[in-house]
Amino acid sequence: MSSKPLKQIHLAAHFPGVNNTTVWSDPAAGSHIDFDSFVHFARTAERAKFDFLFLAEGLRLREQGGRIYDLDVVGRPDTFTVLAALAAVTERLGLTGTINSTFNEPYEVARQFASLDHLSEGRAAWNVVTSWDAFTGENFRRGGFLPREERYSRAKEFLATATELFDSWDGSEILADAGSGAFLRDARAGAFAHRGQHFDIEGHFNVPRSPQGRPVIFQAGDSDEGREFAAAGADAIFGRYGTLDAGREFYADVKSRLPKYGRTPDQLKILPAATFVLGDTDAEAREVAHEVRRLQVSGQTAIKFLEHVWNRDLSGYDPDGPLPEVDPELGENTIALGRASVREFRDPLATARQWRALAEAKNLSIRELVISTTADQTFVGSAATVAAQIDTLVQADAADGFILVPHITPGGLDVFADTVVPLLQERGVFRAEYAGTTLRDHLGLAVPEAASDRQAARS
């Protein structure tokens, strides 16, 4: 009886952005804005033969209690600028950037990504996200005009429109000429006309078709609507489940949605974000992981996190003391503005009751409670243990791979590249060398047909 072939694992590296999870106090911690940090991180990922590097997006500095949220990274350089610069110092690593569909225009974003795809020779990817909060919108002309329930409607049409632009060229519309470089065969090249609810545009797209047809499309939503959006048109989806049972449930659900769109399971990769802590032994790694969590959740962090749920000023409370006896303030969150204002807990009163019961049962302080109820590291152990954990989850169809988020920037990925990757290669589940040149090659995704090619095939 033949055994099931081993799945090949996809690995990517997330350059940490707007968060408090970076351990700033570590002597190895570096800048999040100096280009040298991005170069170190990217070159480590490429040396380890990772599929891609991922940049998140922060469109506005968060505020809490009327002040800039002082636990975040100070700023985030423009995504396209960073990725274009990294294209010049890397050769095979994919370059993925998060760009918002709410506050941008399809023509502009499609042109930027198509340009990046040419500059990188086919390594660009776009993580399509939405935003609905008026606080972020104040930085833009539209403000907070878009109701939350319409954000996916606009995002779907935004992606469809951008795809029309990417596909408006085919390779035969450019003729090479030794004397003048290149010229168009006819005036139809790049022609488009889109009429829809959110966009009404017409013209000619001025960037030819790129080496991988069009950039790889990522999507990060976990709601039912977000899963459907990914199944309809994304090449990969960021999962949030790094455990076996939850990962398998998410994996099966998203993959089961593909047939209705005429797609097969291999056309959508599921890649959860994952943190890791390594040690010479499992016991040592657990000790380090415990210390990392305490550094990530300082007393100040714990109080601010609690304020997200309580929607009250809790600065007078001792983080090493008990939870507040007062209940959360219901209604619009006025304490935390920005990403921090998006409540993870739909019922703050129920959350408060649950946390009080947990704190009483285990005699937990505010800080200890926050540490215990917020995400632990995904993978903890020796290199051999972590390699086995990753391989087990992928072979069990809980994921197609992982996007790794180190707690030290920019050198936190180094130890993983030097110790875990070789073990995965020995298992035969991760590449020793890049087999192709584009990000679609790395992910095992076919080059999509241009619109004109599809029309010719139907005629």
Side-chain angles (χ1 to χ4, degrees):
M1 179 181 295
S2 61
S3 61
K4 179 182 176 182
L6 290 175
K7 289 174 61 178
Q8 291 298 298
I9 295 170
H10 296 284
L11 292 177
H14 179 290
F15 189 95
V18 180
N19 59 67
N20 63 280
T21 56
T22 297
V23 180
W24 299 102
S25 57
D26 192 292
S31 171
H32 276 62
I33 195 168
D34 287 348
F35 186 53
D36 285 348
S37 292
F38 291 98
V39 172
H40 181 112
F41 196 80
R43 285 180 170 167
T44 300
E46 186 165 71
R47 171 169 61 82
K49 314 304 177 187
F50 278 23
D51 290 38
F52 60 90
L53 172 145
F54 170 67
L55 288 184
E57 181 181 59
L59 293 177
R60 181 164 182 176
L61 292 175
R62 296 190 285 183
E63 295 181 13
Q64 192 143 332
R67 301 179 62 186
I68 295 297
Y69 192 68
D70 54 1
L71 304 179
D72 283 350
V73 175
V74 181
R76 160 67 81 192
D78 174 70
T79 296
F80 283 113
T81 305
V82 174
L83 293 182
L86 289 177
V89 297
T90 55
E91 295 181 355
R92 292 289 182 267
L93 185 69
L95 303 169
T96 304
T98 301
I99 296 295
N100 198 290
S101 64
T102 304
F103 303 120
N104 291 293
E105 293 294 327
Y107 187 94
E108 178 185 30
V109 171
R111 184 167 180 260
Q112 290 170 312
F113 269 113
S115 299
L116 177 62
D117 212 28
H118 275 285
L119 291 174
S120 65
E121 299 182 314
R123 296 186 282 136
W126 171 22
N127 180 35
V128 185
V129 298
T130 65
S131 181
W132 57 268
D133 64 288
F135 175 76
T136 300
E138 289 174 358
N139 279 346
F140 299 88
R141 175 176 61 84
R142 289 187 181 83
F145 88 100
L146 191 66
R148 182 171 186 172
E149 60 272 14
E150 291 185 23
R151 60 178 180 161
Y152 274 113
S153 171
R154 179 183 169 93
K156 289 175 184 176
E157 188 176 337
F158 194 112
L159 179 57
T161 307
T163 300
E164 292 171 20
L165 298 174
F166 292 137
D167 289 352
S168 62
W169 287 73
D170 68 36
S172 66
E173 290 168 332
I174 302 178
L175 296 179
D177 180 84
S180 60
F183 61 91
L184 298 182
R185 186 176 68 177
D186 58 55
R188 292 174 297 174
F192 66 88
H194 179 92
R195 306 281 184 256
Q197 176 186 354
H198 297 281
F199 308 107
D200 186 352
I201 59 176
E202 181 175 359
H204 285 76
F205 191 52
N206 63 354
V207 184
R209 197 159 166 80
S210 67
Q212 56 177 353
R214 58 175 179 258
V216 172
I217 300 299
F218 286 78
Q219 199 272 334
D222 183 44
S223 65
D224 186 75
E225 197 168 14
R227 297 182 188 199
E228 202 69 23
F229 180 44
D235 297 304
I237 181 171
F238 293 127
R240 59 182 297 182
Y241 305 105
T243 59
L244 182 62
D245 292 340
R248 294 185 72 176
E249 181 179 353
F250 178 81
Y251 190 98
D253 176 72
V254 175
K255 299 273 187 174
S256 70
R257 299 171 188 248
L258 294 168
K260 76 174 71 172
Y261 300 104
R263 307 181 69 197
T264 57
D266 62 321
Q267 291 179 298
L268 178 67
K269 306 302 179 185
I270 296 179
L271 305 170
T275 55
F276 61 91
V277 175
L278 293 163
D280 290 338
T281 65
D282 290 354
E284 178 185 314
R286 287 192 293 269
E287 291 179 6
V288 174
H290 177 74
E291 182 60 22
V292 167
R293 291 297 294 137
R294 289 192 59 80
L295 292 172
Q296 290 172 328
V297 184
S298 65
Q300 180 190 18
T301 301
I303 292 296
K304 289 187 178 294
F305 183 88
L306 211 65
E307 289 179 344
H308 298 174
V309 180
W310 256 253
N311 195 25
R312 294 176 180 273
D313 179 3
L314 303 177
S315 59
Y317 284 82
D318 180 3
D320 294 318
L323 287 174
E325 294 183 359
V326 63
D327 285 333
E329 180 72 28
L330 301 181
E332 182 181 358
N333 198 317
T334 58
I335 293 294
L337 298 175
R339 285 180 60 196
S341 68
V342 182
R343 291 188 176 180
E344 296 179 50
F345 309 98
R346 299 296 178 90
D347 188 341
L349 291 177
T351 300
R353 288 193 296 270
Q354 179 184 357
W355 284 2
R356 286 188 182 116
L358 178 62
E360 182 177 353
K362 296 188 175 182
N363 192 29
L364 300 177
S365 66
I366 291 175
R367 184 183 182 192
E368 291 168 337
L369 177 79
V370 171
I371 290 174
S372 68
T373 56
T374 54
D376 287 330
Q377 294 88 351
T378 314
F379 301 117
V380 177
S382 67
T385 295
V386 170
Q389 291 172 339
I390 291 174
D391 192 22
T392 296
L393 290 173
V394 172
Q395 303 307 328
D397 288 339
D400 291 314
F402 293 93
I403 301 171
L404 299 172
V405 190
H407 59 270
I408 298 293
T409 303
L413 195 65
D414 295 15
V415 64
F416 189 98
D418 293 334
T419 62
V420 179
V421 168
L423 296 177
L424 293 174
Q425 292 167 336
E426 287 179 10
R427 286 171 171 257
V429 295
F430 190 69
R431 68 174 69 90
E433 294 292 340
Y434 289 111
T437 60
T438 72
L439 180 53
R440 288 188 181 277
D441 291 335
H442 305 341
L443 292 170
L445 299 170
V447 175
E449 292 182 319
S452 57
D453 295 333
R454 292 195 296 271
Q455 292 171 358
R458 289 194 294 264
S459 61

